[in-house]
């Protein structure tokens, strides 16, 4: 009986690790002026934001400036990061494709993907999914 109870508790513990909300570490921009992190609601299926990847933008004093719904679903592979120079956010998503946002006046504006931005997205993907 004790062995069965231990097995059940271990199963519940490991299962809860896979079915909890996700919050990434803060990723500092190359200029040091901003940080981003990603979050995913993996637990509240009734919420409008269920399983969507959100990017949260912070200034260097850790004040939240904005958040944006990337439109990518968490069921697929994805990653976020910055361009090597400047304050451009890059998203690599295997379900909706790559996206990028430039920062103007502490606000995000989506920009057209270029070969350079797609190469950066591919690099971020290769780093996350080694």
């Amino acid at each position: 009986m004790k062995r069965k109870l231990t097995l059940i508790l271990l199963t519940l513990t490991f299962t809860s690790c896979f079915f909890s909300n996700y919050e990434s570490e803060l990723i500092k921009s190359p200029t040091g002026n901003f940080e981003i992190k990603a979050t995913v609601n993996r637990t509240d299926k009734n919420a409008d934001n269920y399983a969507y990847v959100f990017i949260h933008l912070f200034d260097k004093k850790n004040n939240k400036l904005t958040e944006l719904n990337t439109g990518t679903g968490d069921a697929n592979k994805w990653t976020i990061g910055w361009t090597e120079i400047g304050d451009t956010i890059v998203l690599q998503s295997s379900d909706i494709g790559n996206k990028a946002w430039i920062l103007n006046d502490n606000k995000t504006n989506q920009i057209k993907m270029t070969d350079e931005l797609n190469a950066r997205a591919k690099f971020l993907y290769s780093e996350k999914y080694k």
Side-chain angles (χ1 to χ4, degrees):
M1 179 67 166
K2 192 174 185 181
R3 183 177 256 173
K4 286 182 182 180
L5 183 59
T6 302
L7 183 61
I8 290 170
L9 288 174
L10 283 173
T11 302
L12 288 173
T13 300
F14 289 125
T15 303
S16 68
C17 294
F18 296 107
F19 297 106
S20 61
N21 291 332
Y22 173 79
E23 185 173 319
S24 75
E25 72 283 352
L26 285 169
I27 306 166
K28 189 174 281 206
S29 71
T31 64
N33 293 326
F34 301 99
E35 291 181 312
I36 55 172
K37 75 175 176 181
T39 60
V40 178
N41 167 17
R42 293 177 174 165
T43 57
D44 186 358
K45 291 184 179 182
N46 295 321
D48 290 338
N49 68 349
Y50 179 69
Y52 281 110
V53 177
F54 278 78
I55 297 175
H56 305 268
L57 175 67
F58 300 88
D59 65 15
K60 60 180 152 185
K61 294 181 182 176
N62 206 30
N63 297 310
K64 188 173 184 178
L65 300 175
T66 191
E67 71 179 34
L68 63 110
N69 182 346
T70 64
T72 194
D74 187 46
N76 298 288
K77 291 183 177 181
W78 60 270
T79 188
I80 63 168
W82 297 95
T83 51
E84 291 185 273
I85 299 170
D87 292 322
T88 303
I89 301 167
V90 178
L91 166 79
Q92 187 289 324
S93 169
S94 63
D95 82 1
I96 63 166
N98 302 334
K99 290 185 178 183
W101 296 266
I102 195 162
L103 302 175
N104 291 323
D105 297 322
N106 296 337
K107 295 180 183 174
T108 56
N109 295 303
Q110 188 171 346
I111 58 174
K112 185 177 178 178
M113 292 301 293
T114 63
D115 290 342
E116 185 177 320
L117 289 170
N118 280 312
R120 182 65 179 166
K122 184 177 179 179
F123 171 78
L124 293 170
Y125 177 90
S126 69
E127 286 295 301
K128 183 175 180 180
Y129 298 102
K130 289 182 181 181

